[in-house]
C-alpha cells in the first residue's frame, strides 16, 4: 500500500527525519489514531496514554463533543480575525471568563476577564510579558530556577534551562532568575523597575515541583507592595490537570495575569493571556494575532470546557490522582527496601516520579509495554493521562509503570 504521493507506510520515519527541524526527538513509533486515553500505532499496537500530548488533551483524544463542535463550526465559519465581532468568539470569551470568575473571583483589580487570544503557550507568555511592560511602564522581570515558559525569545528569556537558552544569547534583557520556593530571593530581586514576576505553581518541565503556599503568598505580597504584576503560568497545570480547575487554587494564589494554552484548546492549538479587568487594555495596534480566537478553535475550546465542567473532570483527576499516588508510593525507596524511586510528587493527574537514575530506559520499557509516558528532566518520570482515563486503564497503566520501575 502506498499513500497518494507514493510513500509506503514504513517510510514515515524516514520522511519525517528528512524534513523535521531537529528540535524534538521522536520515539521510533508512528501514532496514527487516538480515542479517550488510548493511542494506536501503524502496526495496530495500543498504548495507554499517560502524556495527553504534554497536557493538551485533558478531555481525551477525539472526544465526541469536541469532534462534533468542530464539525459543525467547520461547516459554518472557520477563519475570522478580530476585525469583526463573531458569535463563537463572544461565547468563548464569556465561557472562559465565567470559569475564571468562578475559580478565581474578583480582587481590587477586578475579575480575570480581559483576554488576549493566541495559538500557543509561548505566545500567551509573550502577550503577558508585553502587557506587564505596557501596564507598568517598567522593563524587568523576575522568573525562577526550573521554570519553563516556552521557546520564543521573550518566553525563553524567562525560562531557566541553560541548555535551551545559551545558544540564543543575547535574549530579552532584564530578567533575573531566582531559586524556586525562595521568598527571600524574590524580596531581594523585585525592585521599582520590575514589571512582573512569572511563576508556575507546579513546575512541569522542571520536574513536577510544587511551589509551597507561603512562598506564593509572599511572591504575591511583594508584587502588590512594589507595583509588579503577579503572573502565573497555568499552561500545563490548568483545566483540571492537578485536581482543581487551576493549580492556583491549591495555594490560594490571586494572580494579576494567568497564561493558558494546552488543554484550553481541547485538541486544537490555542493560548490566552488573561488579566484583571482593572488593569485596562492594550492601546489599539500594540498587540494582536491573526489566528487568535478563530471560530473553529473557539468551538473546540468551548466544547472541551463544557465537558470538563459537566463531567466534573477536575474532581475526577483529584480522586484518581490520590489513588495513583498511593499505589506508586509502594515503590519509594526505604532503608529495608531500596528501589530506584526517590520520591513521588505532584497533584491530581500531574504526577512526577523522581528516580535515582536516568528515566530513559524506564520510558523505553513503558513504550514496549504499551504505556505512553513523559520525562520531566533527566531523572523524573511524568504521568499526565487524559482526565477521562477509565479506572481500568489507569490501574493497568500504573501496574505496568510499577513493573517497569521494579525491572529497571
Ligand atoms: C508547554 C508549556 C509552555 C509553552 O507552550 P507552547 O505551546 O509549547 O509554546 C509554557 N509554559 C508551560 C508551563 C508549559 O508547560
Amino acid at each position: 500500500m502506498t499513500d497518494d504521493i507514493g510513500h509506503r507506510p514504513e517510510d514515515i520515519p524516514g520522511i519525517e527525519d528528512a524534513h523535521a527541524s531537529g528540535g524534538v526527538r521522536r520515539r521510533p513509533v508512528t501514532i496514527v489514531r487516538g480515542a479517550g486515553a488510548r493511542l494506536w500505532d501503524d502496526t495496530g499496537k495500543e498504548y495507554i496514554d499517560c502524556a495527553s500530548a504534554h497536557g493538551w488533551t485533558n478531555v481525551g483524544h477525539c472526544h465526541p463533543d469536541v469532534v462534533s463542535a468542530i464539525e459543525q463550526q467547520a461547516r459554518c465559519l472557520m477563519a475570522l480575525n478580530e476585525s469583526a465581532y463573531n458569535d463563537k468568539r463572544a461565547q468563548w470569551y464569556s465561557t472562559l471568563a465565567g470559569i475564571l470568575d468562578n475559580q478565581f473571583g474578583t480582587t481590587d483589580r477586578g475579575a480575570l476577564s480581559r483576554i488576549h487570544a493566541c495559538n500557543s503557550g509561548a505566545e500567551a507568555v509573550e502577550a503577558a510579558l508585553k502587557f506587564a511592560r505596557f501596564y507598568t511602564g517598567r522593563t524587568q522581570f523576575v522568573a525562577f530556577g526550573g521554570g519553563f515558559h516556552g521557546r520564543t525569545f521573550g518566553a525563553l528569556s524567562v525560562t531557566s534551562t541553560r541548555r535551551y537558552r545559551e545558544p540564543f544569547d543575547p535574549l530579552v534583557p532584564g530578567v533575573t532568575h531566582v531559586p524556586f520556593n525562595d521568598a527571600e530571593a524574590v524580596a531581594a530581586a523585585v525592585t521599582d523597575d520590575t514589571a512582573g514576576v512569572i511563576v508556575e505553581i507546579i513546575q512541569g518541565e522542571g520536574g513536577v515541583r510544587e511551589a509551597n503556599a507561603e512562598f506564593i503568598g509572599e511572591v504575591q505580597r511583594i508584587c502588590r507592595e512594589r507595583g509588579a504584576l503577579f503572573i502565573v503560568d497555568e499552561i500545563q497545570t490548568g483545566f483540571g490537570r492537578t485536581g482543581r480547575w487551576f493549580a492556583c487554587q491549591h495555594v490560594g494564589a490571586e494572580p494579576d495575569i494567568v497564561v493558558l494554552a494546552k488543554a484550553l484548546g481541547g485538541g486544537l492549538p490555542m493560548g490566552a493571556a488573561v488579566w484583571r479587568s482593572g488593569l485596562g487594555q492594550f492601546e489599539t495596534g500594540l498587540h494582536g494575532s491573526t489566528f487568535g480566537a478563530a471560530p473553529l478553535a473557539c468551538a473546540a475550546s468551548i466544547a472541551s470546557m463544557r465537558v470538563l465542567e459537566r463531567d466534573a473532570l477536575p474532581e475526577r483527576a483529584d480522586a484518581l490522582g490520590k489513588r495513583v499516588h498511593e499505589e506508586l508510593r509502594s515503590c519509594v525507596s526505604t532503608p529495608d527496601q531500596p528501589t530506584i524511586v526517590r520520591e513521588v510528587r505532584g497533584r491530581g493527574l500531574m504526577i512526577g516520579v523522581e528516580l535515582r537514575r536516568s528515566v530513559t530506559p524506564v520510558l523505553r520499557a513503558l513504550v514496549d509495554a504499551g504505556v505512553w509516558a513523559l520525562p520531566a528532566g533527566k531523572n523524573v518520570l511524568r504521568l499526565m493521562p487524559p482526565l477521562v482515563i477509565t479506572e481500568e486503564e489507569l490501574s493497568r497503566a500504573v501496574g505496568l509503570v510499577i513493573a517497569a520501575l521494579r525491572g529497571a
Side-chain angles (χ1 to χ4, degrees):
M1 264 241 312
T2 59
D3 68 13
D4 54 5
I5 48 171
H7 295 117
R8 291 191 309 278
E10 59 267 34
D11 293 335
I12 290 168
I15 297 168
E16 288 213 28
D17 290 343
H19 296 288
S21 68
V24 180
R25 191 178 302 142
R26 287 149 176 69
R27 294 172 185 175
V29 176
T30 300
I31 300 290
V32 294
R33 193 159 69 84
R38 295 191 200 203
L39 294 166
W40 288 272
D41 71 16
D42 59 348
T43 71
K45 179 172 167 180
E46 183 178 295
Y47 301 83
I48 302 174
D49 183 11
C50 288
S52 301
H54 281 78
W56 186 2
T57 58
N58 284 8
V59 298
H61 296 279
C62 304
H63 191 287
D65 291 26
V66 177
V67 170
S68 101
I70 291 172
E71 278 174 354
Q72 273 184 38
Q73 190 61 40
R75 274 187 226 106
C76 175
L77 181 69
M78 289 194 262
L80 182 77
N81 68 7
E82 287 189 57
S83 58
Y85 295 98
N86 172 257
D87 55 341
K88 243 343 123 172
R89 192 195 300 124
Q91 198 184 350
W92 178 74
Y93 277 145
S94 39
T95 306
L96 178 58
I99 285 169
L100 292 172
D101 192 36
N102 277 343
Q103 304 304 322
F104 286 91
T106 299
T107 67
D108 54 354
R109 288 178 157 162
L112 286 167
S113 61
R114 278 288 170 202
I115 304 171
H116 166 75
C118 51
N119 314 283
S120 69
E123 277 179 275
V125 170
E126 297 292 338
L129 299 179
K130 275 181 76 176
F131 186 77
R133 275 203 183 186
F134 173 72
Y135 173 79
T136 61
R138 303 171 176 189
T139 58
Q140 317 269 305
F141 289 95
V142 172
F144 294 93
F148 180 84
H149 302 289
R151 297 173 187 270
T152 53
F153 273 99
L156 187 59
S157 303
V158 289
T159 290
S160 83
T161 319
R162 190 170 299 147
R163 204 177 80 77
Y164 298 163
R165 297 165 50 91
E166 264 175 2
F168 304 103
D169 273 339
L171 297 175
V172 176
V175 179
T176 308
H177 282 93
V178 301
F180 191 54
N181 274 331
D182 183 343
E184 278 175 36
V186 178
V190 176
T191 69
D192 290 348
D193 297 321
T194 307
V197 176
I198 183 163
V199 66
E200 293 158 272
I201 304 296
I202 303 177
Q203 294 184 332
E205 304 308 304
V208 192
R209 286 176 203 281
E210 197 171 339
N212 62 60
E214 305 85 84
F215 165 71
I216 290 297
E218 269 303 284
V219 172
Q220 186 169 310
R221 191 189 61 73
I222 293 164
C223 285
R224 297 272 144 89
E225 180 186 277
R226 307 195 187 163
L229 294 184
F230 175 42
I231 307 168
V232 176
D233 181 340
E234 289 259 17
I235 290 169
Q236 190 163 145
T237 48
F239 298 97
R241 170 57 54 195
T242 69
R244 306 287 296 265
W245 269 90
F246 298 96
C248 278
Q249 291 152 338
H250 294 296
V251 293
E254 295 184 327
D256 300 310
I257 307 181
V258 285
V259 279
L260 308 170
K262 294 195 169 120
L264 169 66
L268 291 189
M270 195 174 219
V274 188
W275 57 87
R276 302 266 172 196
S277 55
L279 302 177
Q281 297 170 264
F282 274 122
E283 264 164 37
T284 303
L286 292 194
H287 202 57
S289 163
T290 302
F291 298 155
L296 190 67
C298 288
S301 177
I302 295 164
S304 124
M305 288 189 275
R306 286 199 176 138
V307 169
L308 286 164
E309 199 156 49
R310 182 196 66 202
D311 297 347
L313 294 182
E315 291 80 357
R316 180 180 169 79
D318 180 53
L320 292 179
K322 284 184 173 133
R323 282 202 344 229
V324 174
H325 271 259
E326 231 150 75
E327 287 176 50
L328 286 176
R329 228 164 268 142
S330 71
C331 295
V332 177
S333 244
T334 58
D336 40 293
Q337 197 209 7
T339 72
I340 68 161
V341 178
R342 183 175 285 146
E343 193 182 21
V344 180
R345 293 193 289 265
R347 284 191 189 246
L349 290 176
M350 180 171 181
I351 297 157
V353 183
E354 183 173 328
L355 310 182
R356 296 176 184 281
R357 59 168 100 136
S358 163
V359 69
T360 311
V362 175
L363 286 169
R364 233 173 247 151
L366 285 174
V367 170
D368 290 343
V371 177
W372 200 262
L374 288 171
K378 284 193 173 61
N379 63 341
V380 177
L381 172 69
R382 183 170 31 154
L383 302 173
M384 296 205 298
L387 315 186
V388 297
I389 190 168
T390 66
E391 296 187 22
E392 188 270 327
E393 286 163 342
L394 188 60
S395 51
R396 196 143 51 87
V398 172
L400 292 166
V401 166
I402 290 173
L405 292 170
R406 296 226 162 103

